[in-house]
Amino acid sequence: MLEALLRYGNRMEVGLLNYGARMMYLRVPDRNDKLIDIIAGYDDPMLYKKAGFYYGTLCGRYANRIRNGRFSLNGIHYQLDQNLFPHHLHGGNVGLHSKIWRDQQVAEHAMCYDLYSQDGEMGYPGNLKIHFTYQIENEHELNLIYNAISDQDTIINLAFHAYFNLADSDSILDHLLFINADAITEIDSDCVLTGNYISVENTAFDFRKPKKIGKDLFNQEMQLQYGNGYDHNFILNNKGSMDVPAAILYSPESGIKMEIYTTQPGIQFYTCNWDKETDRGKSNKLYKNHSFVCLEPQHFPDSPNHEHFPSTVLLAGESYSHRSKFIFSVV
């Protein structure tokens, strides 16, 4: 496994790994001008392979869940790997997160990762070529650029799966969060989408004004019970515009603010609802329940089984292209 470093002066450092096209660390300055690492992971690159977590990786071919691992395309029924039995999660046991990617530094502040996924891998149709780029635009901005092409009609949903804590603290419950969404997609007790939309109005899911993540986390709403906390796709209002923020996360403790912009129609909000202390990460730190928050720009989970969702079909020879950017500042 090969490591790489992108740095913009002394204002941003991004550590990368070709195993899963993965981000190992992301260091930005806090209000005291001290660089702190704001994502979960390990100091030893080999642990990413042994532990099997999705820390900082690119998930796919289809990120998130597909019910029973099944979908139909052009009248053909496909069975995917049921790695979260009976469902399919993040591309299967041997998804993109478990692959060694070919890396190339194409500019001083940009690293590209390429992968060829063969027809039939984890049950997906088509030979798929993926080109993924990390690019530091300036001392405040990190861009993620996704491109792919297939030789057959297929489905695709790529998502960057970082676990954030903007204060390097034990909990994200005091982080303030804004999500630019009027509705979520409803989940069932397996955290798989039902196909229904639910308005966030007068629910724990209303983040249209910034509020603490922990404010309503322990409410008794059924959707929170199903997810054991927040583990939901929010339907973004920005309609693919990179000029309007999809979400804003802020830590009063460190002063770090992170703005997320994306061309994707949804964002998965997950509060690491672990039932117990499950892992030791960097500096042997114990990662606990609600130690991190995930905000993953994506298409909707299980979209191939819901015709009214934005399509995740990639036609043969056509280009899959999306962007996300993360802007950091200090308040």
Side-chain angles (χ1 to χ4, degrees):
M1 294 190 288
L2 299 176
E3 299 177 55
L5 171 66
L6 297 179
R7 179 188 288 121
Y8 200 100
N10 61 353
R11 308 301 296 175
M12 185 185 295
E13 293 180 354
V14 181
L16 303 172
L17 189 65
N18 67 342
Y19 179 67
R22 192 179 304 261
M23 186 183 293
M24 293 178 62
Y25 57 83
L26 173 56
R27 298 178 181 136
V28 296
D30 64 8
R31 65 161 56 91
N32 297 316
D33 219 27
K34 176 186 176 183
L35 284 183
I36 64 171
D37 188 358
I38 60 171
I39 63 172
Y42 303 110
D43 298 315
D44 180 358
M46 294 304 298
L47 289 178
Y48 288 96
K49 190 171 185 178
K50 293 178 181 178
F53 287 94
Y54 296 100
Y55 296 147
T57 194
L58 186 65
C59 291
R61 294 188 184 188
Y62 202 101
N64 220 305
R65 294 165 175 82
I66 293 180
R67 183 179 296 277
N68 296 320
R70 297 173 187 165
F71 72 96
S72 298
L73 181 62
N74 300 330
I76 301 174
H77 302 293
Y78 293 94
Q79 179 64 62
L80 304 176
D81 183 36
Q82 294 168 294
N83 58 315
L84 188 66
F85 192 83
H87 310 299
H88 178 78
L89 177 68
H90 292 331
N93 280 308
V94 192
L96 306 183
H97 66 282
S98 66
K99 302 286 189 177
I100 298 292
W101 294 58
R102 183 169 59 87
D103 60 345
Q104 180 182 9
Q105 187 157 356
V106 294
E108 181 181 2
H109 301 123
M111 180 69 71
C112 294
Y113 289 89
D114 291 282
L115 186 71
Y116 178 77
S117 178
Q118 292 185 330
D119 177 34
E121 283 191 3
M122 296 291 98
Y124 289 96
N127 295 297
L128 184 71
K129 295 179 180 179
I130 305 169
H131 184 72
F132 178 55
T133 303
Y134 292 101
Q135 179 188 52
I136 300 178
E137 184 69 22
N138 52 53
E139 64 182 24
H140 303 293
E141 183 176 326
L142 175 66
N143 286 283
L144 277 58
I145 305 166
Y146 308 76
N147 291 283
I149 191 167
S150 174
D151 64 355
Q152 299 179 43
D153 293 356
T154 190
I155 61 170
I156 186 171
N157 180 29
L158 304 180
F160 174 61
H161 202 311
Y163 293 65
F164 293 101
N165 185 316
L166 301 187
D168 191 25
S169 59
D170 291 333
S171 172
I172 46 78
L173 297 186
D174 285 337
H175 280 43
L176 295 173
L177 179 63
F178 160 80
I179 302 179
N180 188 8
D182 295 330
I184 62 169
T185 44
E186 183 184 54
I187 62 172
D188 64 14
S189 57
D190 276 355
C191 289
V192 182
L193 299 198
T194 66
N196 297 325
Y197 297 162
I198 299 177
S199 170
V200 302
E201 187 77 26
N202 297 319
T203 74
F205 296 87
D206 193 348
F207 286 89
R208 292 174 295 182
K209 293 182 180 179
K211 71 177 180 182
K212 288 184 177 181
I213 290 175
K215 182 178 185 296
D216 298 317
L217 178 61
F218 303 104
N219 287 10
Q220 296 303 305
E221 295 179 27
M222 188 57 67
Q223 283 296 294
L224 287 173
Q225 296 298 306
Y226 284 160
N228 196 27
Y230 294 109
D231 192 4
H232 294 76
N233 172 66
F234 283 67
I235 303 169
L236 295 175
N237 294 330
N238 63 319
K239 301 186 184 303
S241 171
M242 291 288 286
D243 298 323
V244 181
I248 301 173
L249 185 67
Y250 170 66
S251 166
E253 181 178 344
S254 69
I256 295 173
K257 180 173 76 170
M258 179 178 74
E259 302 172 58
I260 302 176
Y261 298 78
T262 185
T263 59
Q264 299 273 26
I267 193 166
Q268 185 78 11
F269 170 37
Y270 173 53
T271 45
C272 296
N273 312 310
W274 301 324
D275 291 327
K276 57 183 178 179
E277 298 166 350
T278 57
D279 196 28
R280 286 194 177 272
K282 297 169 183 174
S283 302
N284 202 36
K285 185 175 181 178
L286 188 61
Y287 288 168
K288 302 178 181 179
N289 195 26
H290 308 140
S291 286
F292 299 94
V293 56
C294 298
L295 293 162
E296 308 158 57
Q298 60 169 11
H299 265 65
F300 301 175
D302 202 32
S303 289
N305 295 313
H306 302 280
E307 291 184 356
H308 59 292
F309 285 4
S311 176
T312 54
V313 173
L314 176 63
L315 299 178
E318 293 194 353
S319 177
Y320 171 93
S321 180
H322 279 287
R323 290 177 57 214
S324 296
K325 67 180 177 182
F326 298 79
I327 297 178
F328 300 93
S329 57
V330 174
V331 177

